[in-house]
Amino acid sequence: MRTLVALLVLVLAWPTSAAARRRHADQVTPGKAAMKRQPDTDPSRGGTRRGGIELTLASLTAVLTAVLIGRGTWELVRAARLRKRCADAIHSDPFLSEFDPECDVRRPGLGGRISGGLSLGFAVPIGIASGFLFAYGLKINRHYRKLAAERGLAVTPWLGRSGGGVGVRLRF
C-alpha cells in the first residue's frame, strides 16, 4: 500500500513536458531608431509655459543648498572648537574635564563632525539638481520669449478672486 501511494505521488508530482517547455508569446518592439530619444523641439509647448515653476524650484533648491553648506560648516567648526577645548582641559587638569558634560564622552565633537559631513554631503546632489533646474527653466524661458517676440498679437486670460478676463497685447 505504501509503495502504491509513493508511486501515485511521484506520478502526480512529475512535471509534464508541456508544462516544462512553456513558451512566451512573441512581442513586437520598435526598432533601434525609434528607441532613440528625440530632442525636445518645443520646451515652452507653444508659448504656454514660461519656465516659472522650474526657476522657482531651482531657487528653492539653491537656497536649501546654501543653508546645508552653512549649517555643515558651522557644525564642523563647532566640533573642532569642542575637541580643542576638551583636549586643552584634559591636559591642564584632568579632574576639571570630568565636570564638563560635553567632554565626558569618549570622542568629543564626533556628532558635530558627522552632522557637518552629512549636511555637506547632501548639499552636493541638491546643488547639482538646482543647476539642472536653472538650465532647463532658462531654456524654456528663452524659447517662450523667442515665440512671444515673433507674435504680433498676444491674448492672455487671467483669473482673480473678484473675476476674470482677457488681456490683449499688440506689438507692431
Side-chain angles (χ1 to χ4, degrees), residues 2-30:
R2 288 183 190 175
T3 310
L4 183 61
V5 171
L7 284 173
L8 185 61
V9 168
L10 183 65
V11 168
L12 291 177
W14 193 268
T16 61
S17 61
R21 304 181 107 207
R22 187 174 296 157
R23 292 188 51 154
H24 296 287
D26 293 333
Q27 294 180 354
V28 178
T29 58

Side-chain angles (χ1 to χ4, degrees), residues 80-113:
R81 286 181 184 164
L82 175 67
R83 186 175 184 188
K84 185 177 180 325
R85 189 182 81 211
C86 291
D88 291 344
I90 289 174
H91 291 301
S92 65
D93 189 5
F95 182 71
L96 290 176
S97 67
E98 292 177 6
F99 295 112
D100 191 358
E102 290 180 329
C103 293
D104 194 28
V105 295
R106 183 177 216 170
R107 293 164 64 183
L110 179 64
R113 289 192 306 268

Side-chain angles (χ1 to χ4, degrees), residues 25-138:
D26 293 333
Q27 294 180 354
V28 178
T29 58
K32 288 184 180 181
M35 294 297 287
K36 289 182 181 176
R37 186 178 185 279
Q38 300 297 324
D40 193 9
T41 57
D42 187 12
S44 68
R45 295 186 187 157
T48 59
R49 293 180 57 203
R50 296 182 184 190
I53 293 174
E54 288 82 4
L55 291 173
T56 303
L57 287 174
S59 300
L60 290 174
T61 54
V63 168
L64 178 63
T65 301
V67 167
L68 285 173
I69 289 172
R71 178 66 186 200
T73 305
W74 182 72
E75 286 288 341
L76 290 173
V77 168
R78 190 170 155 236
R81 286 181 184 164
L82 175 67
R83 186 175 184 188
K84 185 177 180 325
R85 189 182 81 211
C86 291
D88 291 344
I90 289 174
H91 291 301
S92 65
D93 189 5
F95 182 71
L96 290 176
S97 67
E98 292 177 6
F99 295 112
D100 191 358
E102 290 180 329
C103 293
D104 194 28
V105 295
R106 183 177 216 170
R107 293 164 64 183
L110 179 64
R113 289 192 306 268
I114 291 172
S115 159
L118 285 173
S119 293
L120 294 175
F122 282 121
V124 171
I126 293 174
I128 292 170
S130 176
F132 281 127
L133 281 168
F134 267 124
Y136 189 60
L138 289 175

